[in-house]
Amino acid sequence: MKRNKKFIIEMFFLAIVTITLFFCVINLTERKDSDFKYTPFFEEENEFDVLFFGNSHIMNGVLPMELWNEYGIVSYNFGGHGNRVPTSYWVLKNVLDYKKPKLVVIDIYMIMDKEKVSPKMEYAHLSFDCFPLSQTKINAINDLFEEKSQRLEFLFDFSLYHNRWEELKKEDFIKNYTVEKGAESKIGVSETRNFSLIERSIYNNDDSEGKEYLCKMIEECKNLGIEVLLVNMPYPATNSAQKDANVVDGIAQKYNVDYLNFLYETDCVNYITDFYDSDSHLNMSGAKKVSKKLGKYLVDNYKIEDRRNDNTYCDWHEDYKNYISYKEELISNQSSLYNLLMLLYDEEKQGFVYVKAGSDILKDELFAQLLYNIDVGIKVEEALQKRKDYIAIFGSDLRIEILEPQLCETDFGNINIVRDDEKIYVTLNDEVLAEMELDDKVCVSVLDADADVISVICE
Amino acid sequence: MLFNSINFFVFFLIILLMYYIIPIKFRHIWLLISSYYFYMQWNVSYILLLFSSTILTYIAGICIGRLEFKKNDNYIIKKKICVALTVIANLGILFLFKYYNFTVDSVNCLLSKMNLSIIDTNFNLLLPVGISFYTFQALGYIIDVYRGNTEPQKDFIKYALFVSFFLTINAGPIERSTNLLKQFEEKRTFDYYKAYEGIGLMIWGYFLKLVLADRIAIFVNTTYEDIETYGGTFLLVAVFLYGFQIYCDFSGYSAMAIGAAKILGYDLMENFNAPYLSKSVAEFWRRWHISLSSWFKDYLYIPLGGNRKGIIGKYKNLMIVFLLSGLWHGASWNFVVWGGLNGIYQVVGEEFKRVKKKTKILSKNKSNTFSNKLLQVMSTFFLIDFAWIFFRADNFMHALDIIKSICTTWNPWVFIDGSLYTAGLSRASFNVVFFGIILLIMNDVLKYRKIKLTQKFLEQSIWFRTCIISVSIVLIALIGIWGGSYNASNFIYFQF
């Protein structure tokens, strides 16, 4: 009997130690992407005013930190890669276990898709791993996945992630979190395919689970007194996709909610400069434009408060500073000229663009559009025709364009361009800002508020 | 329900808890219910087959016992008839489910070569899990009753438990009534030492299965399935590793079963005893799948005459046993070839021993040196591993293709240029395999020398024991091959 008791005590002690070790190992091996994206949401003690749901269109296209800076809107972006509407429904359900926002914005892309969840399991993991095990999560996984092995992957993700023991990295030991409040900016510029808008009254009348789940999302929100805005993000949509999107007009009408279809907001984005890929996702420039427009719509049509002077949200100022640092890092680490120009949209940065006379880049429509995007580029055509150098100097309230290298006085100093036999030098107050080889055709340099160089790209 | 599943872990915990809570006299009922529940997880309808085999052999045992007790006229013949009918019935069921299609296909192959019309048959029945194991276990009981080695079991519950015991039904050990059934008769109480031994064995079993066997399987499957891409050295490595894969898979399972049984207070028979340290093929078969090889020895080889019918008779009996053993493992000619090869090894080995004895080649002193023992161990491993090619291959021709590729494709640079790690296993995984095999060999050396560590382990302080066990469990869970992405993780012997 004594030995039996001893065995029970030892097993109890063993269970405690083993479970503790397991927790450590589970934490270590779990993929950190979902935590990276959503931990700031869980750490926020206060309520959010607006939450965004949908797929990568909205994830890339709406930047909560821009909304904060512009309008003082407190929001979080729950858009996820490849999220079908049923997946977004369950993300919403899980989120509502933790927070009750004033307004929920739902992107309706892929509303007619036959699948409930993306076939790429890692996308679903990104959306659900962050949520602790709960009845809502169990219901979500049981609804979205048929196979037991798939369900186990989500409800006990160690069954999948233990395999990561071979690929553990620094990020697994030292956690860090997004500064974009769930959004994911895309850094890239791509020509988009051609498309034309169809009549808004033409729509796809087929049944779909997407429509059913969208209705459920609206009903769920209404039951909790949460307002709903439906959106369709701008992208070069096919006719078929447009018909699918247009069916939402009827749903919006039925539930008396607004539906903002950005395809018909033709002045919002530039289809040459504002997309990361040819057919789908906005880049950071496009996202800023959409965020600005959407933010104004929210402020004008819903009682969304400006929280910038609200002490309860004072942490958000610090968060915004971190976001600024993040954007500066993007600029300073940039090695692509077009990406650098794209990133400069709506940024209070100063710098210059220098293009040598006769350079082919002056004929490039994308280059010209990227310059227009930062409010320069008017004299590009002239420089091309007259075979002159093109120089643009920009600052927070400054835009200068000249066709000859000459000394220019600006708020942040005197800029000059000097040549010798080997190089071309761009100077600021006689100190060299950038050096170009004689073969280089174009040079872009970005300076911070103290006129220190953040980035220089010469090609 | 596989042993390496979370379901089984929960299932076993519940059984264990209830087992020690309920009164001793009802424990075997609880175990029987659990065993039938366990079997039903595979296929509900085949529970009837299991039950039929159980009741048939139970009744046969009672009849033989009565005949023996009454000793009426011709009781010996009647006993023989009883045994024969039982054996025929059980083997008939086994033949139907496992060998019917194989037999028809083989006959059709022969008929088509003779330009005769083939037998048209549609007999697609799923092979009941464990049928080879529980059939042999039940037949062993009947023959033991007939021989008078064991009393017929009158308690149907205990007998049914013996046939269906969830820890042995799927992949053995093929228990003897003189061992396991006898233990069901006895009052078993909790044993502290045995429980720790059981825990240790289960952990070891999970290590062999999840960390080694299933990991090696990835490489072997990748290379065997695409011998054009992974020829030559890849296949050589795969053949070498397969010897360890099947050893770890099967002995891992046995260790889990034996360990779990020990926690419940039962001692199952040892099934593997450092087989790859054998110095001859004959010794290998005394150390490998001991429950099956001893079954064939006791219930086939000896009744056939064993080594009492002269040299030719002995060799003939050896070949019959090993050919049938091959067939037991699978209804396919490559298994028969595998069995036959092992039979030939033994025949040649015996003949060589006989000639050596007669001509007194090699003095005794030299055969006891480390180098000589090492040579014998390595030669035995080579022979056994070569035979495994036929065991693992999809069919006989596939086995020949593998051998041909190993002999004709020259690419040893795969060891150096990193391409070895492109066949499903990363460098880190290969390292795990390497160190795991070393650990396995160390364990087997201790076993071979009959050194037991359990007592020494139990003498250590609790913090030390807890750390070792906890870290082992967590490490196995971490680096083991299991989880949703690894559906292929399945026991090799479950097809039998």
Side-chain angles (χ1 to χ4, degrees):
Chain A
M1 208 55 188
K2 217 177 166 181
R3 278 211 141 165
N4 292 2
K5 275 190 189 156
K6 185 183 173 195
F7 184 79
I8 292 169
I9 292 166
E10 286 176 9
M11 288 301 109
F12 179 73
F13 186 49
L14 174 67
I16 303 248
V17 172
T18 308
I19 289 169
T20 308
L21 265 179
F22 257 117
F23 268 118
C24 296
V25 163
I26 285 169
N27 235 304
L28 187 64
T29 53
E30 190 172 39
R31 213 174 72 145
K32 306 300 184 296
D33 298 14
S34 192
D35 275 349
F36 172 81
K37 197 171 181 311
Y38 295 119
T39 298
F41 168 79
F42 291 101
E43 285 181 347
E44 177 60 52
E45 287 168 2
N46 305 304
E47 280 293 354
F48 288 88
D49 288 325
V50 186
L51 295 176
F52 300 96
F53 295 90
N55 52 75
S56 54
H57 282 197
I58 202 165
M59 181 176 71
N60 302 143
V62 176
L63 306 176
M65 283 277 91
E66 299 292 336
L67 291 173
W68 164 260
N69 180 50
E70 200 74 34
Y71 304 104
I73 295 174
V74 166
S75 65
Y76 212 91
N77 192 328
F78 276 91
H81 291 291
N83 278 1
R84 280 36 175 185
V85 177
T87 306
S88 296
Y89 166 75
W90 283 112
V91 173
L92 170 72
K93 284 280 281 181
N94 275 277
V95 165
L96 292 178
D97 282 351
Y98 298 92
K99 297 280 188 226
K100 299 277 186 295
K102 288 204 174 99
L103 170 71
V104 153
V105 179
I106 304 167
D107 177 17
I108 56 84
Y109 179 60
M110 288 198 286
I111 190 165
M112 301 304 282
D113 203 272
K114 289 185 173 47
E115 289 161 339
K116 281 188 177 180
V117 67
S118 169
K120 288 191 175 187
M121 296 291 275
E122 58 264 34
Y123 291 172
H125 276 289
L126 180 67
S127 291
F128 289 106
D129 281 355
C130 58
F131 295 109
L133 191 65
S134 66
Q135 191 56 54
T136 312
K137 186 170 179 179
I138 293 169
N139 294 344
I141 301 308
N142 285 342
D143 183 51
L144 294 173
F145 299 100
E146 303 275 333
E147 287 179 33
K148 272 189 184 164
S149 59
Q150 289 179 322
R151 291 175 180 176
L152 183 69
E153 229 179 85
F154 287 88
L155 299 177
F156 180 50
D157 57 24
F158 183 64
S159 66
L160 176 71
Y161 291 140
H162 74 93
N163 297 304
R164 294 192 64 244
W165 66 272
E166 287 185 53
E167 53 177 64
L168 291 177
K169 295 190 262 281
K170 179 181 160 192
E171 290 75 32
D172 293 299
F173 294 89
I174 303 170
K175 292 189 184 179
N176 67 320
Y177 308 119
T178 180
V179 296
E180 293 195 273
K181 303 286 184 190
E184 196 180 287
S185 300
K186 284 293 198 194
I187 313 304
V189 187
S190 172
E191 203 177 311
T192 54
R193 62 158 177 246
N194 290 328
F195 82 106
S196 54
L197 285 172
I198 64 171
E199 289 282 334
R200 196 152 176 173
S201 54
I202 302 171
Y203 61 89
N204 182 346
N205 203 20
D206 294 340
D207 286 328
S208 78
E209 288 210 80
K211 279 160 67 175
E212 190 190 313
Y213 277 81
L214 181 63
C215 295
K216 280 161 93 160
M217 284 174 92
I218 298 170
E219 285 159 13
E220 183 75 28
C221 291
K222 281 190 173 285
N223 288 341
L224 292 168
I226 300 170
E227 294 192 85
V228 175
L229 168 64
L230 305 176
V231 298
N232 186 27
M233 302 299 285
Y235 71 103
T238 60
N239 286 359
S240 167
Q242 289 182 57
K243 284 182 200 169
D244 292 348
N246 289 342
V247 78
V248 178
D249 281 314
I251 297 173
Q253 211 173 25
K254 177 183 170 188
Y255 286 98
N256 195 28
V257 297
D258 285 356
Y259 172 35
L260 186 52
N261 189 342
F262 275 93
L263 291 182
Y264 295 97
E265 305 292 324
T266 49
D267 59 346
C268 182
V269 297
N270 180 332
Y271 281 83
I272 297 173
T273 59
D274 291 341
F275 282 83
Y276 169 78
D277 47 28
S278 63
D279 59 356
S280 237
H281 301 95
L282 289 161
N283 59 26
M284 203 169 199
S285 166
K288 286 176 189 170
K289 292 174 188 173
V290 166
S291 302
K292 204 174 229 173
K293 183 145 193 143
L294 180 61
K296 185 159 191 331
Y297 188 90
L298 298 182
V299 163
D300 290 345
N301 293 282
Y302 301 90
K303 290 179 187 142
I304 307 296
E305 287 177 53
D306 182 343
R307 303 279 191 187
R308 285 174 288 188
N309 294 321
D310 186 339
N311 274 335
T312 329
Y313 293 90
C314 56
D315 287 346
W316 279 65
H317 294 290
E318 192 58 38
D319 292 343
Y320 185 70
K321 281 184 192 162
N322 293 333
Y323 175 69
I324 295 287
S325 302
Y326 163 71
K327 285 199 289 183
E328 279 194 4
E329 215 177 296
L330 285 175
I331 290 171
S332 64
N333 291 340
Q334 209 36 252
S335 57
S336 157
L337 183 76
Y338 285 2
N339 288 354
L340 179 61
L341 287 172
M342 179 275 290
L343 285 169
L344 289 174
Y345 170 75
D346 203 35
E347 292 296 319
E348 289 178 4
K349 293 282 177 280
Q350 46 220 14
F352 70 87
V353 177
Y354 172 64
V355 183
K356 263 202 329 206
S359 173
D360 283 339
I361 205 171
L362 288 172
K363 297 177 195 168
D364 187 351
E365 171 70 19
L366 175 57
F367 179 71
Q369 290 288 334
L370 284 168
L371 291 179
Y372 293 147
N373 213 28
I374 56 172
D375 298 325
V376 289
I378 296 166
K379 291 196 175 177
V380 165
E381 189 61 36
E382 194 183 336
L384 186 65
Q385 280 171 8
K386 292 181 179 174
R387 294 191 70 80
K388 299 263 186 192
D389 288 350
Y390 171 82
I391 301 139
I393 298 167
F394 54 89
S396 47
D397 291 314
L398 176 73
R399 293 295 184 269
I400 300 172
E401 291 182 75
I402 51 178
L403 302 184
E404 294 277 355
Q406 57 183 267
L407 185 71
C408 289
E409 289 174 5
T410 71
D411 296 342
F412 49 92
N414 297 334
I415 292 192
N416 202 359
I417 294 164
V418 180
R419 259 179 230 255
D420 65 19
D421 293 333
E422 290 175 3
K423 291 194 182 191
I424 301 169
Y425 302 94
V426 180
T427 63
L428 175 68
N429 297 332
D430 294 325
E431 280 189 33
V432 174
L433 262 186
E435 289 177 18
M436 286 173 69
E437 301 297 327
L438 293 178
D439 297 341
D440 289 337
K441 303 288 184 218
V442 57
C443 188
V444 175
S445 183
V446 181
L447 314 174
D448 65 11
D450 298 325
D452 292 323
V453 174
I454 305 171
S455 181
V456 174
I457 296 178
C458 298
E459 289 175 3
Chain B
M1 204 191 302
L2 298 171
F3 272 21
N4 60 331
S5 66
I6 293 171
N7 289 355
F8 176 77
F9 187 69
V10 173
F11 168 77
F12 183 65
L13 269 176
I14 294 169
I15 290 177
L16 192 62
L17 265 159
M18 291 302 295
Y19 183 78
Y20 283 112
I21 289 171
I22 60 178
I24 292 177
K25 61 181 177 179
F26 297 126
R27 283 180 184 174
H28 59 286
I29 299 173
W30 169 243
L31 284 181
L32 178 64
I33 293 167
S34 307
S35 297
Y36 268 67
Y37 175 81
F38 178 82
Y39 195 75
M40 276 163 64
Q41 302 310 301
W42 295 100
N43 193 314
V44 177
S45 49
Y46 285 149
I47 209 79
L48 294 171
L49 209 60
L50 172 65
F51 186 75
S52 306
S53 184
T54 305
I55 205 136
L56 189 69
T57 46
Y58 170 76
I59 291 169
I62 300 287
C63 288
I64 293 167
R66 281 216 179 122
L67 285 167
E68 182 62 35
F69 179 73
K70 287 181 179 171
K71 285 190 168 51
N72 287 341
D73 294 338
N74 303 321
Y75 79 97
I76 292 174
I77 295 171
K78 285 177 186 170
K79 270 173 58 177
K80 281 186 179 170
I81 292 170
C82 196
V83 169
L85 285 174
T86 311
V87 168
I88 290 166
N90 277 278
L91 288 182
I93 295 170
L94 184 64
F95 174 82
L96 193 66
F97 280 93
K98 195 169 170 181
Y99 300 106
Y100 178 80
N101 288 337
F102 165 69
T103 308
V104 165
D105 288 344
S106 303
V107 166
N108 279 339
C109 191
L110 206 63
L111 290 175
S112 68
K113 284 199 165 94
M114 293 180 343
N115 292 320
L116 295 170
S117 59
I118 60 172
I119 303 165
D120 187 19
T121 177
N122 264 333
F123 197 71
N124 289 315
L125 281 181
L126 205 61
L127 183 65
V129 169
I131 189 170
S132 303
F133 290 95
Y134 71 71
T135 301
F136 271 39
Q137 192 152 300
L139 290 180
Y141 161 75
I142 279 300
I143 297 169
D144 280 341
V145 169
Y146 169 77
R147 287 177 179 170
N149 293 340
T150 193
E151 288 296 314
Q153 177 57 249
K154 292 198 176 85
D155 187 333
F156 179 72
I157 303 289
K158 284 178 185 160
Y159 178 71
L161 175 59
F162 166 71
V163 177
S164 66
F165 191 37
F166 71 96
L167 291 174
T168 58
I169 193 167
N170 282 344
I174 302 171
E175 270 297 338
R176 302 299 183 92
S177 53
T178 47
N179 182 42
L180 185 59
L181 191 52
K182 190 172 155 218
Q183 290 178 65
F184 289 145
E185 294 283 351
E186 296 159 2
K187 186 178 166 185
R188 315 296 285 190
T189 53
F190 177 78
D191 185 310
Y192 177 85
Y193 179 88
K194 226 180 238 181
Y196 256 105
E197 225 186 340
I199 290 169
L201 271 171
M202 285 192 83
I203 291 173
W204 179 247
Y206 278 106
F207 167 74
L208 291 179
K209 171 65 182 162
L210 296 183
V211 176
L212 286 184
D214 287 350
R215 177 169 263 105
I216 295 171
I218 296 169
F219 183 83
V220 171
N221 292 347
T222 305
T223 51
Y224 268 56
E225 279 162 26
D226 187 0
I227 63 177
E228 299 230 345
T229 310
Y230 301 106
T233 309
F234 284 105
L235 284 170
L236 188 65
V237 172
V239 164
F240 170 76
L241 286 178
Y242 183 73
F244 287 98
Q245 178 195 334
I246 191 164
Y247 177 37
C248 292
D249 196 297
F250 200 15
S251 67
Y253 182 91
S254 291
M256 284 185 234
I258 294 167
K262 275 197 190 292
I263 298 173
L264 289 169
Y266 298 102
D267 291 306
L268 298 180
M269 66 186 295
E270 192 172 43
N271 219 7
F272 293 87
N273 184 11
Y276 285 143
L277 296 181
S278 304
K279 293 192 285 295
S280 68
V281 175
E283 188 187 352
F284 176 82
W285 282 104
R286 289 194 294 274
R287 293 173 174 276
W288 176 278
H289 201 172
I290 297 167
S291 64
L292 179 72
S293 43
S294 62
W295 194 99
F296 270 114
K297 187 186 96 185
D298 292 341
Y299 302 115
L300 183 63
Y301 181 71
I302 290 173
L304 282 174
N307 55 5
R308 290 171 282 124
K309 304 271 181 175
I311 288 295
I312 303 297
K314 178 182 176 181
Y315 292 166
K316 180 198 84 185
N317 292 336
L318 266 175
M319 286 308 300
I320 291 172
V321 164
F322 276 91
L323 283 168
L324 287 176
S325 172
L327 204 56
W328 180 90
H329 283 80
S332 175
W333 286 108
N334 54 305
F335 289 109
V336 179
V337 168
W338 167 79
L341 251 182
N342 277 279
I344 291 168
Y345 287 158
Q346 294 211 61
V347 165
V348 170
E350 286 291 319
E351 190 59 24
F352 184 68
K353 211 162 77 177
R354 214 170 59 87
V355 168
K356 213 171 75 174
K357 212 172 172 179
K358 270 192 175 167
T359 58
K360 291 176 188 167
I361 297 168
L362 294 175
S363 71
K364 258 190 191 174
N365 289 339
K366 279 192 182 170
S367 69
N368 273 340
T369 60
F370 171 76
S371 56
N372 206 47
K373 283 184 198 171
L374 182 66
L375 184 66
Q376 288 174 317
V377 165
M378 285 170 65
S379 310
T380 306
F381 179 80
F382 171 79
L383 289 170
I384 296 295
D385 209 32
F386 177 79
W388 284 134
I389 297 174
F390 294 89
F391 189 90
R392 170 61 182 81
D394 297 338
N395 50 56
F396 182 69
M397 292 314 297
H398 187 215
L400 290 184
D401 287 339
I402 288 165
I403 295 165
K404 185 180 167 193
S405 178
I406 291 171
C407 296
T408 58
T409 306
W410 174 246
N411 56 352
W413 50 85
V414 306
F415 285 120
I416 303 161
D417 69 0
S419 47
L420 193 65
Y421 310 121
T422 61
L425 281 190
S426 64
R427 189 186 293 265
S429 267
F430 258 105
N431 290 342
V432 168
V433 167
F434 175 73
F435 287 111
I437 289 175
I438 290 183
L439 199 63
L440 173 67
I441 293 170
M442 281 166 60
N443 179 73
D444 275 4
V445 167
L446 288 172
K447 209 169 178 179
Y448 196 89
R449 293 183 178 179
K450 295 183 175 36
I451 299 169
K452 277 198 159 190
L453 290 176
T454 314
Q455 189 54 45
K456 279 199 167 31
F457 182 74
L458 284 174
E459 285 164 11
Q460 307 308 312
S461 59
I462 184 172
W463 72 265
F464 179 80
R465 283 186 275 132
T466 304
C467 281
I468 296 289
I469 296 175
S470 298
V471 168
S472 302
I473 292 171
V474 172
L475 261 179
I476 289 167
L478 184 67
I479 64 175
I481 305 295
W482 63 282
S485 304
Y486 296 92
N487 290 331
S489 170
N490 210 328
F491 293 109
I492 292 170
Y493 274 72
F494 275 15
Q495 60 181 299
F496 305 121

